[in-house]
Amino acid sequence: MRVAGMTVVVVGGATGGAAAALLLARAGARVTVLEKVARSKAVGAGIAIAENGLAVLESLGLGPAIAAVSVPLSGIRVVNPKGRVLFAPPGSHPVMRMMRRSALQSVLLDALEAEPLVECRVGTEVTDVTPGGDVIARAGGRDTRLHADLVVGADGFHSQVRARGGFPARIGGSGITYVRAMVGPGLATGVEAWTEAGLFGSFPVPDGTYVYASARSPLCRRAADHTDLPAFRAAWTRVYPASAPILDAVRRWEDLLVNRVWTVRCPRWAIGRLVLLGDAAHAMPPNLGQGANSALVDAAVLLDELRRGDDLPTALAAYEARRQPAVRRVANASARLGRLAELTSPLLRGLRDGVVMPLAQRLTGGGDLSTVLQEAPDALRAIGRA
Ligand SMILES: Cc1cc2nc3c(=O)[nH]c(=O)nc-3n(C[C@H](O)[C@H](O)[C@H](O)COP(=O)(O)OP(=O)(O)OC[C@H]3O[C@@H](n4cnc5c(N)ncnc54)[C@H](O)[C@@H]3O)c2cc1C
C-alpha cells in the first residue's frame, strides 16, 4: 500500500515512537507525534543499543549523531564476585553502544523537529482512542480530537492506546527491582557481576559511568524502602566489594532511579486502525538489553509491512505475525537470563556457575545471535533507506 500521503498519529515520542514517526515521515506519511512529557528529565540511566537498533538508527541517518554521544561496548563479560568469568560472548559480538538515555532522546527529538512531515506536540496526553482512528488528546487542560489513517501506540508500559483501544493484555511483575544511576567517569568495571544479592553492572558512557544493581536481597530491599543510601552501599559492599567505589560516587538516594521490572504480553498488536509497538505491546525483562532495541525493530518492520501489504488490515496482520514470535523468543530468553542472574540459593548458584554457565558458553560458541537481534541488521538498514 502507499505510505506516502497517509495520516498517522504516533502516541509517545520516546525511542519506539520517535523512530516510527521518522521512518513513516521519510516514507511520505504526514505524522503527528503526541508526547505527554513536556521536556524529558535528565534521567540517571544509560542504555545499550545493539546492532539491530543501531541499524534502524543508521538507516535514518542518525549513525554519526549516535556515535558522537555513545561509546562502543565489546566483550561484556558476566563474572562472579571475585571476578572469575562465568560467561563471555563469543567473538566481538554483539556490537553495542552505551549512551545516556537523555542523549539518545535528544538525538531523536532533534531529528523529529527537523523532519518537515512531522508535527511534534509535547505536553499532550492521549486520553482515549478508537479502533476507527480517533484520538482524544489533552493539552493545557483542553481536549482536542484528531483522526488518522493509522494510530501507533508507542506509549510504553502504561499504554493508553492499549487500554482504551480494547487490546487484551497480560501484565506481569517479575518481582525484580533494579536501581540505576549515573556517576562520574573512570569508575566502570565493564562487567556484570552475578552475586548472592543479584546482579551489579557498571559501564562507561561519554563523561560518566552508568551503574545498575539489583535491589532484591532483603538488606537492599529494606534500604530501598527507607531510601537509605549508606545501608544500600553497605549491603552491596558486603557481597561485592568492587561495587564500593562506584556506589560511593552516588551522592543522594534521589540520584538513583528505582524500577520494578514489569512485563506485557498482548495476543493482539493491531485492532482496526490502531497498532502497538515497543513496551506498549511487549515490555520485557531488561537482562538482554533488547527492550528499546525491539521497539526500534518494530518501527522498521511496521514500515516494511505497510509498504508490502495490499491494504491496512493485511499490512498490520503481517506486522503482528512477523514480530510476535520473534519478540516472544527474545523476551523469554531475557526472562530466563534474569532468573539465572537473580538466583539466591547457594546450591543453585553453585550449579549455575559450575555447570550451566560453562555449558551455555560452549553452546553459544558459534555466536548465533538471531534470537537476540530478531531481524538481520542489513535488512533493517535497507528498510529505512528504501
Ligand atoms: C532497568 C532497565 C534497563 C534497561 N536497559 C535497556 C537497554 O540497555 N537496552 C534496551 O534496548 N532496553 C533497555 N530497557 C528497556 C527499555 O527501557 C524499554 O524497552 C524502552 O524504553 C521502550 O521504549 P518505548 O518507546 O516502547 O516506550 P517508553 O520508553 O516507555 O516511552 C513511552 C513514551 O510514551 C509517552 N506516553 C505515555 N503515555 C502517554 C500518553 N497517554 N499520551 C502521550 N504520551 C504518552 C511517555 O511519556 C514516553 O515518552 C531497560 C529497562 C529497564 C527497566
Side-chain angles (χ1 to χ4, degrees):
M1 61 181 282
R2 257 176 72 80
V3 176
M6 272 180 92
T7 55
V8 181
V9 166
V10 176
V11 185
T15 316
L22 289 166
L23 285 161
L24 290 163
R26 301 267 171 99
R30 279 181 291 127
V31 183
T32 305
V33 177
L34 305 175
E35 167 54 55
K36 74 173 175 187
V37 176
R39 195 176 308 151
S40 69
K41 286 183 284 176
V43 281
I47 190 160
I49 297 297
E51 54 197 290
N52 50 353
L54 288 173
V56 177
L57 296 169
E58 282 161 18
S59 78
L60 289 164
L62 301 178
I66 292 293
V69 298
S70 63
V71 291
L73 284 186
S74 57
I76 296 177
R77 287 159 298 132
V78 174
V79 300
N80 74 4
K82 294 201 168 114
R84 180 169 72 82
V85 175
L86 301 177
F87 184 81
S92 58
H93 288 284
V95 173
M96 283 202 208
R97 299 194 72 93
M98 184 65 88
M99 63 204 82
R100 292 171 191 263
R101 274 178 188 256
S102 51
L104 172 63
Q105 190 59 21
S106 293
V107 168
L108 289 167
L109 284 181
D110 288 351
L112 282 177
E113 274 164 20
E115 194 58 46
L117 288 178
V118 172
E119 183 198 351
C120 206
R121 299 190 199 170
V122 295
T124 304
E125 179 170 7
V126 168
T127 55
D128 205 1
V129 294
T130 67
D134 294 314
V135 177
I136 306 291
R138 185 168 298 159
R142 285 186 44 204
D143 283 350
T144 314
R145 180 184 289 270
L146 293 88
H147 178 80
D149 298 326
L150 177 66
V151 177
V152 180
D155 47 348
F157 168 71
H158 296 288
S159 174
Q160 280 298 307
V161 177
R162 188 183 67 229
R164 306 296 302 178
F167 289 86
R170 234 174 345 122
I171 314 286
S174 70
I176 301 174
T177 297
Y178 289 116
V179 165
R180 295 178 282 173
M182 204 57 82
V183 293
L187 292 166
T189 57
V191 294
E192 184 172 290
W194 288 8
T195 77
E196 64 181 81
L199 58 78
F200 188 102
S202 58
F203 292 92
V205 294
D207 298 324
T209 302
Y210 168 47
V211 50
Y212 57 92
S214 170
R216 194 182 191 190
S217 73
L219 282 177
C220 288
R221 242 193 342 237
R222 198 167 322 127
D225 287 347
H226 293 92
T227 63
D228 184 344
L229 183 57
F232 190 75
R233 278 193 201 115
W236 265 107
T237 305
R238 189 182 66 76
V239 297
Y240 184 46
S243 67
I246 304 164
L247 290 180
D248 279 349
V250 179
R251 281 179 297 142
R252 309 170 307 158
W253 181 268
E254 293 69 33
D255 294 336
L256 296 172
L257 274 181
V258 183
N259 289 106
R260 220 174 134 193
V261 174
W262 294 98
T263 57
V264 172
R265 294 223 169 180
C266 279
R268 294 185 67 184
W269 290 13
I271 297 180
R273 295 185 181 280
L274 308 177
V275 66
L276 301 177
L277 63 72
D279 275 15
H282 54 68
M284 65 179 77
N287 304 76
L288 275 173
Q290 275 296 317
N293 285 295
S294 300
L296 291 166
V297 176
D298 291 343
V301 171
L302 177 62
L303 171 60
D304 198 31
E305 294 300 345
L306 286 172
R307 281 196 184 118
R308 288 169 192 254
D310 291 333
D311 51 34
L312 191 65
T314 319
L316 296 185
Y319 160 74
E320 185 182 290
R322 182 164 155 195
R323 289 301 292 139
Q324 272 188 342
V327 165
R328 201 175 308 122
R329 277 195 294 275
V330 78
N332 287 343
S334 207
R336 279 197 298 274
L337 195 66
R339 282 195 294 273
L340 267 186
E342 299 293 333
L343 285 177
T344 47
S345 138
L347 181 70
L348 292 178
R349 280 190 295 116
L351 209 61
R352 174 192 73 192
D353 298 354
V355 181
V356 177
M357 297 310 282
L359 197 65
Q361 182 75 62
R362 220 169 310 139
L363 291 178
T364 54
D368 178 8
L369 292 168
S370 53
T371 296
V372 176
L373 299 181
Q374 309 160 54
E375 294 267 332
D378 282 345
L380 291 169
R381 229 173 260 117
I383 295 169
R385 284 184 180 153

